[in-house]
């Protein structure tokens, strides 16, 4: 079984596309074998310096398996926790 990932995004209401600072992985549509799926989303903090660059570096590192995420610690409310 393969998984097809196709990212999409929209800028915040009242903002232009050039102001979009979040990032996703994969950045382009991609097919994955079921056992090898790496997806990532990073919220670029609009008010910070280099938010767009930092968000893109993070999702690329996760997507290319250069940044390993660890399981959530016991007792963590997974519905309110985000990786990275």
């Amino acid at each position: 079984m393969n998984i097809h990932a196709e990212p999409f995004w929209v800028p915040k209401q009242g903002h232009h596309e050039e102001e979009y600072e979040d990032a996703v992985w994969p950045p382009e549509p991609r097919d994955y074998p079921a056992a090898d799926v790496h997806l990532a989303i990073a919220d670029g903090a609009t008010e910070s310096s280099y938010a767009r660059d930092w968000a893109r570096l993070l999702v690329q590192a996760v997507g290319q398996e250069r940044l390993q995420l660890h399981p959530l610690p016991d007792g963590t409310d997974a519905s309110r926790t985000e990786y990275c």
Side-chain angles (χ1 to χ4, degrees):
M1 177 173 121
N2 286 336
I3 295 175
H4 178 75
E6 189 164 340
F8 65 93
W9 60 272
V10 295
K12 292 178 187 173
Q13 186 175 4
H15 289 78
H16 300 284
E17 288 186 17
E18 302 83 39
E19 297 173 289
Y20 180 77
E21 295 185 335
D22 300 341
V24 297
W25 185 269
E28 303 291 333
R30 181 173 176 182
D31 291 314
Y32 289 91
D36 191 30
V37 178
H38 297 97
L39 308 173
I41 301 168
D43 181 10
T46 306
E47 301 299 321
S48 68
S49 298
Y50 307 106
R52 178 182 301 141
D53 296 333
W54 183 237
R56 288 180 182 168
L57 286 170
L58 282 172
V59 299
Q60 185 178 30
V62 170
Q64 295 175 348
E65 297 184 79
R66 293 182 287 122
L67 176 63
Q68 298 297 315
L69 302 178
H70 301 284
L72 296 174
D74 288 340
T76 302
D77 181 356
S79 67
R80 297 178 44 95
T81 303
E82 300 173 11
Y83 288 103
C84 293

